[in-house]
Amino acid sequence: MANNPIFKIKEYGQSIWMDYLDRQLIESGELKNKIETRGISGITSNPKSFAKAVSNNRVYDSDIEAGIKGGKSTSEIYESLIFEDIRNACDIFRPIYDESGGTDGFVSIEVSPHLARDTQRTVEEARRFFRAIDRDNVFIKIPGTKEGFPAIEQAISEGINVNITLLFSVESYVESAWAYVRGLEARVAAGKPIENIASVASFFLSRIDTKVDNRIDERLKRIGTEELNEEARLRELKGKVAIANAKVAYQRFKEIIESDRFKALAEQGANIQRVLWASTSTKNPDYSDVMYVNELIGPNTVNTLPPDTIEACADHADVAPNRVETEADKAQKTLESLGEPDIQIDYDQVMAELVEEGIEKFAKPFDSLMKSIEEKAEQLTPV
């Protein structure tokens, strides 16, 4: 463990959380083992892992059967299953939450992705989830959509911990940060405490490179050999935009926490809303499997990794302090270059498409999970 880079990353101010949760991980003791041997200090759940777990093993069967006998609907059975797992995971991480003063040890659960464009219903579901799970160290995941930002602000104002997800553009990150600030300001104005409220802003990475790289490949197919300089510039951008985007967002993060508005809240006990790097498994086999770890280490950040990337990181990550701030000016220039005539990639369009695709990518596994529960219920229902 002494040579595990993850423990060194923690010394540099970044927490490593795992992006995977199911009941078998909890009951087998593997989750506790990951905490001890891999240094993970938080976890995010997602419907995709739950759907796989429900379909492929019997660990949930008895509870599904009990739900059937109790006359519960599919959605009620789903919530009973996931709430139990989230509570148990929260209890496992509670010592980390206490030892870190409420900075780490969080477990995230998302509201239905079908509510991404519905502010009021998102708020209602966030309230219900937070109360039902009843753990100080639970995060409710709310998407960073136009409709999600007021829901985030409202949830924070009510004392609900929020993991803001589906952030792609720097602008959307800034919106999420100010939604957090406004929520805290509303609580202060109402005479309510803010010192126990936490939030992270989950900034997605690999999906950006995948989409931009695809656009670059399309441009490369259209240009001829007489445009070698243009080709070289395009190729140089491949696999570079997501990290540049994250580095620029981190500079905005620093500006916000140094603002007078946040400093006033900090005097009242406000916690910093940390930036969380998400979608960190490398999709292109030509790229390093730890590139989104190595390049984005820095204070007040979280990196949430799937299990395979955690193992890769523990084996061969090349870590150094505060890499997220290296070549910040170059990162800004990289983003600005996208709109130049020889690149012709519309940054705003790419980010808008990623949000819409992200909602769909969240909704599909959620629907698959509900179908898996229905199918399992049919298998367990006596004829």
Side-chain angles (χ1 to χ4, degrees):
M1 287 193 296
N3 296 323
N4 184 341
I6 294 176
F7 290 93
K8 183 62 68 174
I9 289 171
K10 187 173 182 180
E11 293 177 17
Y12 297 152
Q14 182 174 91
S15 300
I16 298 295
W17 294 358
M18 184 163 71
D19 185 25
Y20 185 86
L21 178 65
D22 66 26
R23 188 164 297 180
Q24 188 167 349
L25 186 73
I26 296 169
E27 293 183 347
S28 67
E30 186 180 352
L31 180 55
K32 288 184 178 179
N33 180 260
K34 292 283 189 185
I35 292 170
E36 294 169 2
T37 66
R38 294 295 180 259
I40 66 168
S41 55
I43 202 162
T44 57
S45 67
N46 61 74
K48 187 175 181 179
S49 63
F50 279 115
K52 183 179 178 181
V54 169
S55 299
N56 296 343
N57 62 58
R58 302 177 61 85
V59 69
Y60 292 101
D61 285 8
S62 61
D63 283 351
I64 293 175
E65 192 169 7
I68 297 166
K69 291 179 179 178
K72 291 182 178 179
S73 66
T74 300
S75 61
E76 288 171 333
I77 293 173
Y78 155 71
E79 289 181 6
S80 69
L81 300 178
I82 195 171
F83 286 178
E84 181 177 345
D85 286 358
I86 296 294
R87 290 189 197 103
N88 288 336
C90 282
D91 293 343
I92 291 170
F93 279 103
R94 181 68 197 223
I96 294 175
Y97 174 81
D98 292 335
E99 291 164 10
S100 67
T103 300
D104 273 316
F106 284 94
V107 181
S108 295
I109 177 175
E110 66 189 59
V111 298
S112 168
H114 293 293
L115 303 181
R117 295 300 185 187
D118 191 323
T119 301
Q120 187 56 39
R121 290 181 65 198
T122 293
V123 172
E124 291 168 359
E125 187 148 304
R127 285 181 190 135
R128 191 167 58 80
F129 278 25
F130 195 67
R131 291 169 184 165
I133 293 168
D134 192 27
R135 295 293 188 274
D136 294 332
N137 56 327
V138 67
F139 269 133
I140 309 301
K141 293 165 73 173
I142 297 177
T145 59
K146 180 179 70 173
E147 297 82 2
F149 293 129
I152 291 158
E153 180 179 340
Q154 182 63 34
I156 293 294
S157 75
E158 295 182 18
I160 298 170
N161 301 321
V162 179
N163 177 342
I164 304 165
T165 188
L166 274 185
L167 299 174
F168 293 97
S169 71
V170 174
E171 181 183 6
S172 67
Y173 159 68
V174 171
E175 285 281 350
S176 75
W178 287 119
Y180 175 61
V181 168
R182 289 192 300 271
L184 293 178
E185 288 173 336
R187 278 187 71 79
V188 170
K192 297 177 181 178
I194 60 173
E195 62 269 15
N196 292 325
I197 301 170
S199 178
V200 291
S202 295
F203 203 72
F204 282 53
L205 298 171
S206 64
R207 297 185 193 179
I208 294 174
D209 277 336
T210 298
K211 181 166 280 289
V212 171
D213 285 1
N214 286 341
R215 274 173 161 69
I216 289 173
D217 288 339
E218 289 171 4
R219 291 269 294 126
L220 289 170
K221 289 177 183 177
R222 293 198 298 268
I223 66 176
T225 55
E226 70 278 4
E227 299 179 78
L228 294 178
N229 288 336
E230 183 177 348
E231 179 179 348
R233 284 203 71 198
L234 286 164
R235 292 193 184 281
E236 178 62 26
L237 274 176
K238 291 191 70 172
K240 300 293 195 304
V241 174
I243 288 173
N245 200 46
K247 288 186 174 185
V248 172
Y250 189 79
Q251 294 303 308
R252 301 293 87 76
F253 157 77
K254 287 175 57 186
E255 293 168 5
I256 290 166
I257 64 172
E258 289 298 320
S259 69
D260 290 341
R261 284 177 69 182
F262 184 76
K263 285 182 176 178
L265 292 168
E267 290 176 0
Q268 301 281 334
N271 294 302
I272 290 173
Q273 180 198 60
R274 291 191 293 172
V275 181
L276 183 152
W277 312 126
S279 184
T280 51
S281 60
T282 309
K283 306 300 189 289
N284 188 330
D286 293 334
Y287 301 156
S288 166
D289 55 359
V290 291
M291 64 183 279
Y292 299 120
V293 179
N294 289 345
E295 298 301 320
L296 295 174
I297 298 166
N300 295 309
T301 59
V302 179
N303 202 323
T304 179
L305 310 174
D308 288 350
T309 307
I310 287 175
E311 294 308 307
C313 182
D315 180 66
H316 55 262
D318 174 25
V319 305
N322 213 27
R323 281 223 183 104
V324 71
E325 295 217 63
T326 60
E327 299 185 316
D329 291 343
K330 182 179 178 180
Q332 180 66 51
K333 290 176 182 177
T334 294
L335 298 191
E336 291 171 355
S337 73
L338 294 176
E340 294 176 0
D342 52 349
I343 305 298
Q344 298 181 27
I345 293 175
D346 187 327
Y347 174 90
D348 292 333
Q349 182 183 28
V350 166
M351 298 306 168
E353 289 177 8
L354 283 166
V355 172
E356 293 306 316
E357 292 168 6
I359 293 170
E360 184 179 353
K361 286 180 179 179
F362 277 11
K364 282 185 176 179
F366 181 83
D367 292 342
S368 177
L369 171 58
M370 302 303 280
K371 184 178 180 181
S372 294
I373 293 172
E374 289 177 357
E375 290 173 349
K376 183 70 74 167
E378 289 176 3
Q379 295 171 16
L380 296 170
T381 301
V383 178

